[in-house]
Amino acid sequence: MHPRRPALWKSIVQGIRSTRHGLASGPQTGAQTAMEYLMTYGWAIIVIAVVLGAMYSLGIFSSNTLIPTRCVAETGYYCEQPLYSNGNLIVEMGQETGKTWYSATAVFVPDNSSLSGTNPSYAIPGALESGQITNVTIYVGYAPPMQGRLYVRYEFLGSSVQYIAELGDISIRGVPITATTGQSTSTTSTTSTSTISTTTSTTVSTTIAYYYSTLTLTNNQAASAAPFQQMVKFNPSSYSAYEQNGLGNVRFYQGSTELYSWCESGCTNGSSNAIFWVRIPNGVPNGSNTISMRFYQSTNTQYDGTYAGEAPQLSSTYAQYDNGASVFNFYDNFAGSSLRAGWDYIGSYSITQNNGIVIQSSSSGSGGIYWGTAMNPQTNVLEFDAYASTFSSSVQMAWEGAGQTNPQYQIGIDTSNGYYDLFNWNSGSSQDVDMPGGIPGSYALFGLWADNAQSYATFNYGSPYSNNVGFTASTSLYPTLLAYGPDTISLAVQWVRARAYPPSGVMPSVSFGTVQA
């Protein structure tokens, strides 16, 4: 078989054949046809070549002009007006996460590079408040075009744990830009000056299809604290057609802003009772309020560990997707083998940390740890995922003064009855209030808070126990974990957190709308 020839080539060949025939038998109509095709298509090819050459000379095909100047910010962050000047990348950035960032450093990671300690960076002076916008100047050392990602490393107050946020994608057209903040931005060349407008988007740069249900939060009390951690309980098996196995594709939004969420338990699509905690930055006012629950439909959507996460023991790698520090007012999962900075030590004890912590007393004494930043037990519920190894001695999961000083509100052990109990201490009379139901060596969820008159405790979200005997009100106490001798006893803790106390002690109710595309 012969390869197929283009129509133009066939026409030329036919014209040549007709010409030969015409020389012998008549007029040269075949040659005329061939010349007409050559004239028509030849001029067209010449015109196209001239146009392409002109476009190339104008730089239309250059990467300098194909790359836009813009910053595409992820939800919850602000990134706008990226500029280049004298080796520096200049950009306006900010965050609206509901938390204050300390020791923040902006980092530019060029495409085809990875985040490391050698990337161009800029230390942001002072604290970066939620809702604050600031200018950063990052020395990159080369001229545009440039493309990459903007990150921020930061810490929370009283913590040495470093977090990383991806603010968005940055690209700058390949023309040096000279600008002053607040003035117009111009490109400069030897022949002309023209204005370049920067474009900014505050939507997620990757579009993922999703289904969603509108959630109505009903608060019949006064407005909640802000931020507020809202409990969302639902039956995952009712939504299994939209969910991935570990519920890693579930997200929560307020309008177009993604909310921080953390799955505590029941985190599978076959569960009948899942508990999520959703951080609402501005709180829940009185009345009816709406957020949405989305089910991303990408085939490989997992928790991202930033906005969406789960309890540390639920991941195949401990704390792989745990974002509890972004959801709760205080949080520690005791990941790794070293105690996080911010904890202080008390007394005589043995501590073992290996993705969770075990505090063990001895015959020679008692001891443990307390968090070095005071909080208000009247506005925060302190919760522990923990257990005592035996009921023959005692432990403390407590609000206390610094270094085990008074007053103290404790969840401990009534050794005479073999129960966890609620206990107050302030160098006066005291009395145990038993909390039946706990089993030594079995993890349970304990909650502890107070008001002006008494302390309160819960066991696995049950009805609260209260105790006013030996109680002294305080608005500044410290989370404390202790194990008591002389008998050997261990207190094992998976995680500890503080969340906002609900309005008048009543969590706003949640109703679910129909799932929609």
Side-chain angles (χ1 to χ4, degrees), residues 188-225:
T188 305
S189 68
T190 56
T191 57
S192 65
T193 302
S194 60
T195 300
I196 294 178
S197 61
T198 61
T199 59
T200 302
S201 170
T202 56
T203 59
V204 179
S205 56
T206 300
T207 301
I208 302 176
Y210 62 88
Y211 292 89
Y212 73 95
S213 172
T214 298
L215 310 187
T216 301
L217 314 181
T218 302
N219 179 14
N220 294 322
Q221 315 300 318
S224 75

mmCIF file of all heavy atoms in Angstrom, residues 188-225:
data_model
loop_
_atom_site.group_PDB
_atom_site.id
_atom_site.type_symbol
_atom_site.label_atom_id
_atom_site.label_comp_id
_atom_site.label_asym_id
_atom_site.label_seq_id
_atom_site.Cartn_x
_atom_site.Cartn_y
_atom_site.Cartn_z
ATOM 1 N N THR A 188 8.243 48.169 32.745
ATOM 2 C CA THR A 188 9.159 49.154 32.193
ATOM 3 C C THR A 188 10.000 48.517 31.101
ATOM 4 O O THR A 188 10.532 47.438 31.274
ATOM 5 C CB THR A 188 10.086 49.701 33.302
ATOM 6 O OG1 THR A 188 9.280 50.206 34.359
ATOM 7 C CG2 THR A 188 10.995 50.788 32.765
ATOM 8 N N SER A 189 10.119 49.211 29.945
ATOM 9 C CA SER A 189 11.037 48.784 28.891
ATOM 10 C C SER A 189 11.676 50.044 28.320
ATOM 11 O O SER A 189 11.360 51.161 28.722
ATOM 12 C CB SER A 189 10.286 48.024 27.790
ATOM 13 O OG SER A 189 9.420 48.894 27.096
ATOM 14 N N THR A 190 12.583 49.896 27.359
ATOM 15 C CA THR A 190 13.273 51.056 26.806
ATOM 16 C C THR A 190 12.382 51.851 25.880
ATOM 17 O O THR A 190 12.700 52.981 25.559
ATOM 18 C CB THR A 190 14.525 50.591 26.041
ATOM 19 O OG1 THR A 190 14.118 49.642 25.038
ATOM 20 C CG2 THR A 190 15.506 49.898 26.990
ATOM 21 N N THR A 191 11.276 51.259 25.443
ATOM 22 C CA THR A 191 10.457 51.948 24.440
ATOM 23 C C THR A 191 9.091 52.366 24.951
ATOM 24 O O THR A 191 8.518 53.302 24.430
ATOM 25 C CB THR A 191 10.252 51.046 23.216
ATOM 26 O OG1 THR A 191 9.640 49.810 23.655
ATOM 27 C CG2 THR A 191 11.582 50.706 22.563
ATOM 28 N N SER A 192 8.563 51.675 25.953
ATOM 29 C CA SER A 192 7.214 52.024 26.369
ATOM 30 C C SER A 192 6.963 51.592 27.803
ATOM 31 O O SER A 192 7.702 50.800 28.366
ATOM 32 C CB SER A 192 6.182 51.348 25.453
ATOM 33 O OG SER A 192 6.264 49.946 25.600
ATOM 34 N N THR A 193 5.896 52.114 28.388
ATOM 35 C CA THR A 193 5.443 51.738 29.723
ATOM 36 C C THR A 193 3.969 51.419 29.645
ATOM 37 O O THR A 193 3.195 52.211 29.122
ATOM 38 C CB THR A 193 5.671 52.882 30.731
ATOM 39 O OG1 THR A 193 7.054 53.205 30.751
ATOM 40 C CG2 THR A 193 5.224 52.469 32.136
ATOM 41 N N SER A 194 3.576 50.266 30.158
ATOM 42 C CA SER A 194 2.164 49.892 30.115
ATOM 43 C C SER A 194 1.756 49.342 31.460
ATOM 44 O O SER A 194 2.561 48.783 32.192
ATOM 45 C CB SER A 194 1.914 48.833 29.033
ATOM 46 O OG SER A 194 2.676 47.689 29.309
ATOM 47 N N THR A 195 0.495 49.516 31.820
ATOM 48 C CA THR A 195 -0.012 49.075 33.108
ATOM 49 C C THR A 195 -0.395 47.615 33.059
ATOM 50 O O THR A 195 -1.023 47.167 32.114
ATOM 51 C CB THR A 195 -1.236 49.914 33.507
ATOM 52 O OG1 THR A 195 -0.830 51.278 33.587
ATOM 53 C CG2 THR A 195 -1.791 49.474 34.855
ATOM 54 N N ILE A 196 -0.015 46.873 34.091
ATOM 55 C CA ILE A 196 -0.393 45.470 34.232
ATOM 56 C C ILE A 196 -1.351 45.367 35.399
ATOM 57 O O ILE A 196 -1.068 45.866 36.483
ATOM 58 C CB ILE A 196 0.827 44.581 34.509
ATOM 59 C CG1 ILE A 196 1.758 44.573 33.302
ATOM 60 C CG2 ILE A 196 0.395 43.165 34.874
ATOM 61 C CD1 ILE A 196 2.998 43.755 33.534
ATOM 62 N N SER A 197 -2.480 44.734 35.223
ATOM 63 C CA SER A 197 -3.413 44.523 36.325
ATOM 64 C C SER A 197 -3.210 43.129 36.882
ATOM 65 O O SER A 197 -3.071 42.175 36.131
ATOM 66 C CB SER A 197 -4.859 44.685 35.862
ATOM 67 O OG SER A 197 -5.158 43.730 34.866
ATOM 68 N N THR A 198 -3.143 43.018 38.208
ATOM 69 C CA THR A 198 -3.016 41.719 38.840
ATOM 70 C C THR A 198 -4.386 41.176 39.145
ATOM 71 O O THR A 198 -5.315 41.910 39.439
ATOM 72 C CB THR A 198 -2.205 41.818 40.141
ATOM 73 O OG1 THR A 198 -2.892 42.689 41.034
ATOM 74 C CG2 THR A 198 -0.818 42.349 39.893
ATOM 75 N N THR A 199 -4.542 39.855 39.036
ATOM 76 C CA THR A 199 -5.829 39.232 39.317
ATOM 77 C C THR A 199 -5.678 38.308 40.501
ATOM 78 O O THR A 199 -4.650 37.662 40.679
ATOM 79 C CB THR A 199 -6.322 38.412 38.106
ATOM 80 O OG1 THR A 199 -5.351 37.403 37.819
ATOM 81 C CG2 THR A 199 -6.520 39.290 36.893
ATOM 82 N N THR A 200 -6.675 38.273 41.356
ATOM 83 C CA THR A 200 -6.642 37.450 42.557
ATOM 84 C C THR A 200 -7.924 36.669 42.674
ATOM 85 O O THR A 200 -9.003 37.173 42.417
ATOM 86 C CB THR A 200 -6.470 38.337 43.807
ATOM 87 O OG1 THR A 200 -5.269 39.087 43.662
ATOM 88 C CG2 THR A 200 -6.400 37.493 45.066
ATOM 89 N N SER A 201 -7.806 35.405 43.060
ATOM 90 C CA SER A 201 -8.983 34.579 43.326
ATOM 91 C C SER A 201 -8.888 34.039 44.736
ATOM 92 O O SER A 201 -7.811 33.722 45.211
ATOM 93 C CB SER A 201 -9.057 33.409 42.334
ATOM 94 O OG SER A 201 -10.039 32.490 42.725
ATOM 95 N N THR A 202 -9.999 33.967 45.452
ATOM 96 C CA THR A 202 -10.007 33.427 46.803
ATOM 97 C C THR A 202 -10.700 32.081 46.831
ATOM 98 O O THR A 202 -11.246 31.662 47.830
ATOM 99 C CB THR A 202 -10.710 34.400 47.767
ATOM 100 O OG1 THR A 202 -12.025 34.659 47.282
ATOM 101 C CG2 THR A 202 -9.946 35.687 47.884
ATOM 102 N N THR A 203 -10.710 31.376 45.696
ATOM 103 C CA THR A 203 -11.299 30.048 45.646
ATOM 104 C C THR A 203 -10.198 29.011 45.560
ATOM 105 O O THR A 203 -9.070 29.300 45.187
ATOM 106 C CB THR A 203 -12.224 29.901 44.418
ATOM 107 O OG1 THR A 203 -11.456 30.150 43.231
ATOM 108 C CG2 THR A 203 -13.359 30.899 44.480
ATOM 109 N N VAL A 204 -10.516 27.801 45.938
ATOM 110 C CA VAL A 204 -9.538 26.720 45.868
ATOM 111 C C VAL A 204 -9.129 26.510 44.415
ATOM 112 O O VAL A 204 -9.968 26.481 43.526
ATOM 113 C CB VAL A 204 -10.141 25.420 46.440
ATOM 114 C CG1 VAL A 204 -9.133 24.282 46.333
ATOM 115 C CG2 VAL A 204 -10.534 25.637 47.896
ATOM 116 N N SER A 205 -7.811 26.372 44.183
ATOM 117 C CA SER A 205 -7.328 26.314 42.817
ATOM 118 C C SER A 205 -7.686 25.009 42.116
ATOM 119 O O SER A 205 -7.680 24.947 40.913
ATOM 120 C CB SER A 205 -5.803 26.500 42.812
ATOM 121 O OG SER A 205 -5.185 25.540 43.636
ATOM 122 N N THR A 206 -7.958 23.972 42.875
ATOM 123 C CA THR A 206 -8.354 22.709 42.271
ATOM 124 C C THR A 206 -9.849 22.497 42.494
ATOM 125 O O THR A 206 -10.317 22.512 43.617
ATOM 126 C CB THR A 206 -7.583 21.543 42.891
ATOM 127 O OG1 THR A 206 -6.180 21.765 42.671
ATOM 128 C CG2 THR A 206 -7.989 20.231 42.267
ATOM 129 N N THR A 207 -10.605 22.322 41.424
ATOM 130 C CA THR A 207 -12.044 22.153 41.537
ATOM 131 C C THR A 207 -12.378 20.676 41.680
ATOM 132 O O THR A 207 -11.949 19.856 40.889
ATOM 133 C CB THR A 207 -12.752 22.719 40.293
ATOM 134 O OG1 THR A 207 -12.432 24.106 40.178
ATOM 135 C CG2 THR A 207 -14.261 22.569 40.428
ATOM 136 N N ILE A 208 -13.138 20.345 42.725
ATOM 137 C CA ILE A 208 -13.551 18.968 42.971
ATOM 138 C C ILE A 208 -15.075 18.941 43.032
ATOM 139 O O ILE A 208 -15.683 19.738 43.740
ATOM 140 C CB ILE A 208 -12.962 18.429 44.289
ATOM 141 C CG1 ILE A 208 -11.426 18.501 44.256
ATOM 142 C CG2 ILE A 208 -13.419 17.006 44.550
ATOM 143 C CD1 ILE A 208 -10.776 18.074 45.550
ATOM 144 N N ALA A 209 -15.670 18.033 42.297
ATOM 145 C CA ALA A 209 -17.130 17.903 42.342
ATOM 146 C C ALA A 209 -17.552 17.412 43.721
ATOM 147 O O ALA A 209 -16.836 16.666 44.376
ATOM 148 C CB ALA A 209 -17.597 16.940 41.260
ATOM 149 N N TYR A 210 -18.734 17.838 44.164
ATOM 150 C CA TYR A 210 -19.195 17.418 45.484
ATOM 151 C C TYR A 210 -20.720 17.443 45.555
ATOM 152 O O TYR A 210 -21.397 18.121 44.783
ATOM 153 C CB TYR A 210 -18.629 18.330 46.575
ATOM 154 C CG TYR A 210 -19.050 19.789 46.468
ATOM 155 C CD1 TYR A 210 -20.231 20.246 47.067
ATOM 156 C CD2 TYR A 210 -18.264 20.708 45.778
ATOM 157 C CE1 TYR A 210 -20.610 21.568 46.968
ATOM 158 C CE2 TYR A 210 -18.639 22.037 45.674
ATOM 159 C CZ TYR A 210 -19.815 22.465 46.277
ATOM 160 O OH TYR A 210 -20.201 23.772 46.175
ATOM 161 N N TYR A 211 -21.236 16.645 46.488
ATOM 162 C CA TYR A 211 -22.614 16.745 46.941
ATOM 163 C C TYR A 211 -22.597 17.461 48.283
ATOM 164 O O TYR A 211 -21.569 17.495 48.966
ATOM 165 C CB TYR A 211 -23.238 15.360 47.090
ATOM 166 C CG TYR A 211 -23.439 14.627 45.783
ATOM 167 C CD1 TYR A 211 -22.432 13.809 45.263
ATOM 168 C CD2 TYR A 211 -24.631 14.736 45.073
ATOM 169 C CE1 TYR A 211 -22.606 13.129 44.068
ATOM 170 C CE2 TYR A 211 -24.820 14.056 43.888
ATOM 171 C CZ TYR A 211 -23.810 13.263 43.383
ATOM 172 O OH TYR A 211 -23.991 12.601 42.202
ATOM 173 N N TYR A 212 -23.742 18.022 48.667
ATOM 174 C CA TYR A 212 -23.745 18.729 49.949
ATOM 175 C C TYR A 212 -25.106 18.642 50.615
ATOM 176 O O TYR A 212 -26.138 18.419 49.979
ATOM 177 C CB TYR A 212 -23.371 20.199 49.764
ATOM 178 C CG TYR A 212 -24.446 21.045 49.117
ATOM 179 C CD1 TYR A 212 -25.349 21.784 49.900
ATOM 180 C CD2 TYR A 212 -24.583 21.113 47.729
ATOM 181 C CE1 TYR A 212 -26.345 22.550 49.314
ATOM 182 C CE2 TYR A 212 -25.577 21.871 47.144
ATOM 183 C CZ TYR A 212 -26.452 22.592 47.939
ATOM 184 O OH TYR A 212 -27.445 23.345 47.357
ATOM 185 N N SER A 213 -25.068 18.807 51.936
ATOM 186 C CA SER A 213 -26.286 18.903 52.743
ATOM 187 C C SER A 213 -26.189 20.168 53.571
ATOM 188 O O SER A 213 -25.136 20.452 54.164
ATOM 189 C CB SER A 213 -26.422 17.684 53.667
ATOM 190 O OG SER A 213 -27.489 17.859 54.585
ATOM 191 N N THR A 214 -27.257 20.952 53.595
ATOM 192 C CA THR A 214 -27.283 22.159 54.420
ATOM 193 C C THR A 214 -27.614 21.773 55.862
ATOM 194 O O THR A 214 -28.601 21.087 56.124
ATOM 195 C CB THR A 214 -28.319 23.159 53.903
ATOM 196 O OG1 THR A 214 -27.951 23.564 52.570
ATOM 197 C CG2 THR A 214 -28.390 24.395 54.791
ATOM 198 N N LEU A 215 -26.762 22.206 56.793
ATOM 199 C CA LEU A 215 -26.960 21.925 58.203
ATOM 200 C C LEU A 215 -27.492 23.186 58.880
ATOM 201 O O LEU A 215 -26.892 24.256 58.767
ATOM 202 C CB LEU A 215 -25.655 21.498 58.874
ATOM 203 C CG LEU A 215 -24.833 20.395 58.193
ATOM 204 C CD1 LEU A 215 -23.676 19.982 59.098
ATOM 205 C CD2 LEU A 215 -25.684 19.198 57.839
ATOM 206 N N THR A 216 -28.587 23.053 59.592
ATOM 207 C CA THR A 216 -29.156 24.178 60.334
ATOM 208 C C THR A 216 -28.803 24.032 61.800
ATOM 209 O O THR A 216 -29.147 23.035 62.443
ATOM 210 C CB THR A 216 -30.685 24.236 60.161
ATOM 211 O OG1 THR A 216 -30.999 24.371 58.768
ATOM 212 C CG2 THR A 216 -31.275 25.416 60.922
ATOM 213 N N LEU A 217 -28.074 25.013 62.327
ATOM 214 C CA LEU A 217 -27.697 25.044 63.731
ATOM 215 C C LEU A 217 -28.702 25.928 64.466
ATOM 216 O O LEU A 217 -28.864 27.098 64.120
ATOM 217 C CB LEU A 217 -26.281 25.599 63.919
ATOM 218 C CG LEU A 217 -25.187 25.061 62.986
ATOM 219 C CD1 LEU A 217 -23.851 25.694 63.333
ATOM 220 C CD2 LEU A 217 -25.103 23.546 63.086
ATOM 221 N N THR A 218 -29.362 25.383 65.451
ATOM 222 C CA THR A 218 -30.362 26.133 66.206
ATOM 223 C C THR A 218 -29.855 26.370 67.619
ATOM 224 O O THR A 218 -29.637 25.428 68.382
ATOM 225 C CB THR A 218 -31.704 25.383 66.245
ATOM 226 O OG1 THR A 218 -32.147 25.152 64.898
ATOM 227 C CG2 THR A 218 -32.755 26.207 66.970
ATOM 228 N N ASN A 219 -29.659 27.637 67.943
ATOM 229 C CA ASN A 219 -29.173 28.038 69.262
ATOM 230 C C ASN A 219 -30.273 28.837 69.963
ATOM 231 O O ASN A 219 -30.549 29.982 69.596
ATOM 232 C CB ASN A 219 -27.904 28.879 69.126
ATOM 233 C CG ASN A 219 -27.370 29.355 70.470
ATOM 234 O OD1 ASN A 219 -27.787 28.864 71.515
ATOM 235 N ND2 ASN A 219 -26.462 30.317 70.431
ATOM 236 N N ASN A 220 -30.896 28.237 70.958
ATOM 237 C CA ASN A 220 -31.969 28.898 71.700
ATOM 238 C C ASN A 220 -31.452 29.640 72.930
ATOM 239 O O ASN A 220 -32.255 30.130 73.733
ATOM 240 C CB ASN A 220 -33.023 27.867 72.127
ATOM 241 C CG ASN A 220 -33.748 27.271 70.932
ATOM 242 O OD1 ASN A 220 -34.035 27.965 69.960
ATOM 243 N ND2 ASN A 220 -34.029 25.974 70.985
ATOM 244 N N GLN A 221 -30.139 29.707 73.068
ATOM 245 C CA GLN A 221 -29.532 30.423 74.185
ATOM 246 C C GLN A 221 -28.892 31.707 73.665
ATOM 247 O O GLN A 221 -29.093 32.096 72.520
ATOM 248 C CB GLN A 221 -28.470 29.530 74.848
ATOM 249 C CG GLN A 221 -28.880 28.094 75.082
ATOM 250 C CD GLN A 221 -30.096 27.955 75.984
ATOM 251 O OE1 GLN A 221 -30.211 28.656 76.981
ATOM 252 N NE2 GLN A 221 -31.008 27.035 75.640
ATOM 253 N N ALA A 222 -28.151 32.360 74.516
ATOM 254 C CA ALA A 222 -27.390 33.529 74.079
ATOM 255 C C ALA A 222 -26.310 33.090 73.088
ATOM 256 O O ALA A 222 -26.016 31.899 72.945
ATOM 257 C CB ALA A 222 -26.760 34.218 75.293
ATOM 258 N N ALA A 223 -25.726 34.052 72.409
ATOM 259 C CA ALA A 223 -24.685 33.742 71.427
ATOM 260 C C ALA A 223 -23.547 32.976 72.085
ATOM 261 O O ALA A 223 -23.196 33.210 73.250
ATOM 262 C CB ALA A 223 -24.167 35.025 70.790
ATOM 263 N N SER A 224 -22.962 32.054 71.332
ATOM 264 C CA SER A 224 -21.844 31.263 71.844
ATOM 265 C C SER A 224 -20.579 32.097 71.897
ATOM 266 O O SER A 224 -20.510 33.220 71.388
ATOM 267 C CB SER A 224 -21.617 30.046 70.946
ATOM 268 O OG SER A 224 -20.977 30.453 69.740
ATOM 269 N N ALA A 225 -19.549 31.517 72.487
ATOM 270 C CA ALA A 225 -18.217 32.111 72.419
ATOM 271 C C ALA A 225 -17.739 32.075 70.968
ATOM 272 O O ALA A 225 -18.233 31.312 70.134
ATOM 273 C CB ALA A 225 -17.259 31.331 73.317
#
